[in-house]
């Protein structure tokens, strides 16, 4: 019997397949290689962040199902590093080898409408929404939900892409065109107090660990900073963790999942989005915790016990976007001049505005101090006056 099947653990020395080849796969591959696993990655791209540290980089379209079958046959288990892998790709891989988290998790979370319907059926709190399939339906939904509201594509949206904020009825036409005139979700615009997330890992037998509530700040729809622990009351943090557990139990996730929340002005929680994989807001765990979110992904997909999430100190993470390259190469020697700040660069060859190129993690005695250090290091990198 091949390891990985029927509950047999996948042990060091085995090969793990990753669908997708970005920075999440790269950090997963680093964690896996540290523990003696081989990593194969499949994506349409070459010289990728994951491929640069993997043992094998396969270049094929996700729709090339022969290539997917061959890829899956060469590994003991397949996981993914982004959820927009077509469902048929995961299903085809699953004919040959276990896929974790399983295809149904991918299917639910790669489509906003399915995700929101699942959350609402499970009785979990989320932003009020309506399905919209025409400009007329958009107008009707807006009159039910009220304005302002946000129109989002039902599928393949991330980092604020495929979204349009509607302030008045005059915006309907522009909004409908902005989402490509296809199935979309209209959501109430939440005047939130702050945004938080919970990154957690779950095994097949329901064991669960989490990294607590993480506080996130987005700029232009893209995550800019995360701090852990979040500056919220213990009650809010506890509720967020329990909601994350409820989501993972309801979805029967074997793997890592991130739940993003809005904290409302009265301290309530609304789920914004799920990601069935390590998440940008959990990157601090690479440096700040005994077991990173990437190692937890490895452990769960290999059916190994979960690792300790012990956090060494408060931490802050700031993203490094391609914008930092607008005045030439960032000042790397400054990036490593602060002893408590760790630099992560993803190996992407082209820096474009808004593209995630790397991140910095700072550890300090308080979250505020960590945040200050991380931001200071980023200003040094950008050669801004500090
Ligand atoms: P998303 O891609 O849906 O996670 O959206 C990216 C970011 O846009 C979120 O993290 C929020 O900062 C903002 N955003 C998205 N939806 C809403 C909403 N319904 N109300 C207020 N802000 C939102």
């Amino acid at each position: 019997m091949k390891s990985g099947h029927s509950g047999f653990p996948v042990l060091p020395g085995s090969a793990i397949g990753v669908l997708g080849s970005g920075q999440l796969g790269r950090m997963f591959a680093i964690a896996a290689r540290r523990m003696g696993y081989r990593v194969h990655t499949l994506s349409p791209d070459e010289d990728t962040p994951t491929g640069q540290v993997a043992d094998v980089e396969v270049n094929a379209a996700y729709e090339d199902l022969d290539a997917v079958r061959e890829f899956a046959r060469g590994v003991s288990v397949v996981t993914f590093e982004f959820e927009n892998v077509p469902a048929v790709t995961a299903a085809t891989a699953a004919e040959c080898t276990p896929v974790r988290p399983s295809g149904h998790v991918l299917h639910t979370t790669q489509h906003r409408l399915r995700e929101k319907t699942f959350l609402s059926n499970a009785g979990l709190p989320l932003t009020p929404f309506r399905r919209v399939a025409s400009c007329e339906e958009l107008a009707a939904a807006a009159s039910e939900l009220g304005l302002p509201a946000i129109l989002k594509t039902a599928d393949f949206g991330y980092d604020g892409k495929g979204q349009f904020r509607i302030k008045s009825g005059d915006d309907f036409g522009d909004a409908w065109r902005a989402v490509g005139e296809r199935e979309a979700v209209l959501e109430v615009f939440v005047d939130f107090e702050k945004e938080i997330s919970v990154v957690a890992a779950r095994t097949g037998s329901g064991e669960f660990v989490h990294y607590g509530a993480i506080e996130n700040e987005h700029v232009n729809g893209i995550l800019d900073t995360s701090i852990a622990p979040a500056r919220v009351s213990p009650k809010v943090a506890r509720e967020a963790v329990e909601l994350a557990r409820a989501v993972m139990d309801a979805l029967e996730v074997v793997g890592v999942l991130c739940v993003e929340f809005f904290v409302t002005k009265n301290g309530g929680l609304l789920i914004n989005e799920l990601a069935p994989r390590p998440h940008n807001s959990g990157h601090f765990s690479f440096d700040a915790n005994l077991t990173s979110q990437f190692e937890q992904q490895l452990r769960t997909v290999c059916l190994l016990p979960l690792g300790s999430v012990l956090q060494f100190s408060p931490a802050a993470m700031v993203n490094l976007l391609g914008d930092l390259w607008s005045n030439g190469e960032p000042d790397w020697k400054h990036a490593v001049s602060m002893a408590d700040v760790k630099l992560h660069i993803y190996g992407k060859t082209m820096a474009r505005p808004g593209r995630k190129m790397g991140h910095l993690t700072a550890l300090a005695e308080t979250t505020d101090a960590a945040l200050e250090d991380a931001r200071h290091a980023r200003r040094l990198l950008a050669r801004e006056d500090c």
Side-chain angles (χ1 to χ4, degrees), residues 193-276:
E193 178 70 31
K194 57 177 63 180
E195 292 186 86
I196 63 170
S197 56
V198 173
V199 174
R202 184 181 181 276
T203 66
S205 55
E207 282 169 81
F208 172 88
V209 291
H210 62 86
Y211 294 89
I214 305 158
E215 180 174 336
N216 302 318
E217 199 176 309
H218 292 78
V219 175
N220 299 326
I222 303 176
L223 186 67
D224 182 61
T225 56
S226 293
I227 59 178
R231 295 167 296 187
V232 293
S233 69
K235 179 169 174 283
V236 167
R238 230 178 10 252
E239 281 173 9
V241 167
E242 284 318 310
L243 287 169
R245 186 199 297 266
V247 167
M248 290 181 91
D249 285 345
L251 269 177
E252 296 180 13
V253 174
V254 177
V256 168
L257 182 134
C258 172
V259 185
E260 291 184 81
F261 299 91
F262 299 128
V263 183
T264 61
K265 302 266 187 217
N266 60 7
L269 287 168
L270 295 172
I271 296 176
N272 172 35
E273 216 174 28
L274 310 180

Side-chain angles (χ1 to χ4, degrees), residues 2 4-6 17 19 62 65 67-80 85-106:
K2 192 173 172 184
H5 276 286
S6 307
L19 297 173
Y62 296 120
L65 300 183
V68 171
R69 259 181 224 107
E70 193 183 327
F71 176 75
R73 283 194 197 110
V75 297
S76 296
V77 61
V78 167
T79 188
F80 45 85
V85 172
V88 62
T89 307
T92 302
E95 290 165 12
C96 310
T97 203
V99 176
R100 298 192 188 104
S102 69
H104 81 272
V105 177
L106 199 67

Side-chain angles (χ1 to χ4, degrees), residues 112 127 150 152 157-161 163 187-192 195 218 221 260 262 272-273:
R112 277 187 208 281
T127 314
I150 300 194
K152 300 180 177 179
Y158 63 96
D159 286 348
K161 293 192 178 85
Q163 300 194 4
E187 265 181 41
V188 164
F189 182 82
V190 182
D191 183 22
F192 53 75
E195 292 186 86
H218 292 78
E260 291 184 81
F262 299 128
N272 172 35
E273 216 174 28

